[in-house]
Amino acid sequence: KWHGAVTDEIGGLIRVYKDGHVERPNIVPFVSSALPQELGVTSTDMVVDKFTNVWARVYVPNHVQNQLVPLIVYFHGGGFCVGSAGWNCYHEFLAKLALKVNCVIMSVNYRLAPENPLPAAYDDGFKALTWLGQRLQGASSEWWMRQCDFSRVFLAGDSAGANVAHHLATRLASNNGTKLKAVNSLCFKGAILIQPFFGGEARTESEKRTPQPPGSALTVAASDTYWRLALPRGSSRDHPWCNPLKQDKRSGCNLEKLRVLPRTLVCISERDILRDRNVEYCEALAKAGNVVECVVYDGVGHAFQVLSKSNTAQARALEMMSHVRAFVHR
């Protein structure tokens, strides 16, 4: 079928046609939940909402059988338009992270734009938390839930997934979130934001001046396209979902006025175009009275921990896992 001209495209990851048809070439392999036995981690998939096809992949280190460990609810990256909890790069990274941090990880597969523009991803994240809370209160809890210490739950993600974690954190910190009984049985201890995907109309220095190698995971042009596809039609990049530091004239809501979560860890890449936005975000959180830890990883770019096999990236990814472990078990 002829779909008309291609109106938006990002380097082999997504093509959007004039009639709204969307193609996502399969350049990153999707894998099942199976893991090599010697890794010592068990993984399984579960349906969160069959109507919207939201599902999650859970990782449980085998050695935690007789202890309760923290739970990290994780959201993958991909500019809200691509990515999956089933991508092999996330599967490998999160299995290793669960083992290294000594925690259970629930990786949520949310709906993607442009078919499901924001706030679909935020709603799906909230639905996953609600589902967790309801399972916990009901008699039908899953086997892996018996390993979780629900008084130590962390929201986490990278890139667009870190943006989702940020918005869920602010939603839970505001009144409407805490009143939700199903989520009340979960005690949130903090947020782990890896290279959070934010934007804005005015360019930052790192957006203007950070040279990106060919095939970089995130360029300024790709970032603009992702936001155009993900935000409500006609929105600018100063929409609060994209630019949380922009003062919203109607609600007066920005980070300066918002006490977010007990603690936030922000992981920043030195060669990422998002570096300056991520640093500004940390400064704004701290100024608002939040406890923030900000770590910059030298010599690596956006999404290095899932996409790069270089020795430097592998070493930095291990450092990141150690920082997450220290943050979670503090």
Side-chain angles (χ1 to χ4, degrees), residues 91-111:
H91 190 53
E92 288 169 19
F93 172 68
L94 293 176
K96 287 177 189 160
L97 187 66
L99 197 60
K100 179 88 175 170
V101 173
N102 194 35
C103 68
V104 173
I105 296 178
M106 175 180 168
S107 174
V108 179
N109 198 73
Y110 52 87
R111 289 171 293 166

Side-chain angles (χ1 to χ4, degrees), residues 285-299:
L285 276 187
K287 194 173 169 187
N290 293 282
V291 178
V292 191
E293 289 176 44
C294 174
V295 187
V296 180
Y297 298 91
D298 294 338

Side-chain angles (χ1 to χ4, degrees), residues 269-272 296-301 304 308 310 312-313 316:
S269 294
E270 182 206 10
R271 295 185 181 172
D272 188 352
V296 180
Y297 298 91
D298 294 338
V300 285
F304 74 89
S308 178
S310 77
T312 304
R316 297 290 178 273

Side-chain angles (χ1 to χ4, degrees), residues 72-76 154-158 161-162 164-165 190-194:
I72 292 178
V73 181
Y74 194 93
F75 301 92
H76 65 77
F154 293 82
L155 297 170
D158 66 289
V164 173
I192 299 155
L193 310 182
I194 300 171

